[in-house]
């Protein structure tokens, strides 16, 4: 193995180690001339059917020294996205568009509340404009957040948007009966 290849693998490992481990997916998106860290998952994970949940979204201008770390010193929250972005929630052939609401006293953080009614695979489609550029990106849950994605391949998404990597996963809603105790009679 060449020295350059060893250094590249070490750098990739450092990116993953720097990212806090919790049930959200992180995508590093190059939109125009800016790298944005988009952190998305569900509220109140793990999510059970019938419970209050929703989309939990944080968008930051990424810190170039630690682009997947939302707590990095150079990561800057992106505010005002409730005016330019929406989220479409999809499950079992149904879909609904929700407005994003900024989270009080938490710049760069947004939510869209809903109550999942079925244990199924949910997809969150984020669309609108980011930094004045149109975006349309879909994030899909994985059962119980297993098999987290770690992919640093560069993928053009169209319209001047480039995905520079994906790290992590978020769990799909599960049947509430799995968590109820004592069992119903």
């Amino acid at each position: 193995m060449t020295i350059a290849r060893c250094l590249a693998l070490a750098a990739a490992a450092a990116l993953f180690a720097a990212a806090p481990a919790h049930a959200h997916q992180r995508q590093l998106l190059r939109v125009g001339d800016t790298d944005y860290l988009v952190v998305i998952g569900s509220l109140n994970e793990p999510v059970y059917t019938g419970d209050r949940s929703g989309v939990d979204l944080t968008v930051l201008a990424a810190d170039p020294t630690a682009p997947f770390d939302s707590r990095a010193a150079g990561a800057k929250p992106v505010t005002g996205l409730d005016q330019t972005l929406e989220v479409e929630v999809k499950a079992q052939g149904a879909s609904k568009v929700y407005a994003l609401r900024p989270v009080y006293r938490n710049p760069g953080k947004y939510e869209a509340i809903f109550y999942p009614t079925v244990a199924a695979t949910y997809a969150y489609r984020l669309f609108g404009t980011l930094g004045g550029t149109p975006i349309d990106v879909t994030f899909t849950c994985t059962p119980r957040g297993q098999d987290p994605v770690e992919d640093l391949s560069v993928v053009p998404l169209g319209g001047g948007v480039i995905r520079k990597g994906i790290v992590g996963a978020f769990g799909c809603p599960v049947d509430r009966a799995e968590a109820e105790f004592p069992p119903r009679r």
Side-chain angles (χ1 to χ4, degrees):
M1 190 178 292
T2 67
I3 292 175
R5 176 103 172 117
C6 288
L7 289 173
L9 288 173
L15 284 175
F16 295 124
H22 53 81
H24 278 53
Q25 186 177 88
R26 298 161 182 278
Q27 286 198 24
L28 185 61
L29 301 177
R30 167 66 96 175
V31 181
D33 295 330
T34 305
D35 284 345
Y36 292 97
L37 178 59
V38 178
V39 183
I40 195 164
S42 296
L43 293 167
N44 308 320
E45 290 190 48
V47 178
Y48 296 100
T49 57
D51 286 349
R52 180 183 185 272
S53 188
V55 178
D56 183 25
L57 172 70
T58 303
V59 181
L60 305 156
D63 182 332
T65 64
F68 284 94
D69 187 352
S70 60
R71 297 176 295 180
K76 305 290 183 225
V78 180
T79 59
L81 295 180
D82 53 310
Q83 303 299 311
T84 66
L85 291 177
E86 293 179 290
V87 64
E88 178 183 28
V89 178
K90 301 177 185 183
Q92 289 192 330
S95 67
K96 184 173 181 179
V97 174
Y98 291 88
L100 291 167
R101 296 184 338 198
V103 176
Y104 179 69
R105 298 184 74 177
N106 211 333
K109 190 167 184 65
Y110 305 88
E111 63 185 15
I113 306 297
F114 69 92
Y115 291 75
T117 57
V118 294
T121 300
Y122 282 67
Y124 302 154
R125 177 179 161 246
L126 188 63
F127 65 98
T129 60
L130 178 59
T133 300
I135 68 162
D136 192 333
V137 183
T138 299
F139 307 82
T140 304
C141 67
T142 60
R144 297 190 186 260
Q146 297 169 351
D147 302 322
V149 176
E150 294 181 353
D151 181 358
L152 294 180
S153 58
V154 176
V155 179
L157 300 179
V161 179
I162 299 169
R163 185 176 61 226
K164 297 173 77 176
I166 301 173
V167 176
F170 60 99
C172 299
V174 295
D175 193 300
R176 183 184 184 123
E178 289 187 30
E180 291 179 334
F181 183 83
R184 294 178 192 217
R185 297 181 204 239

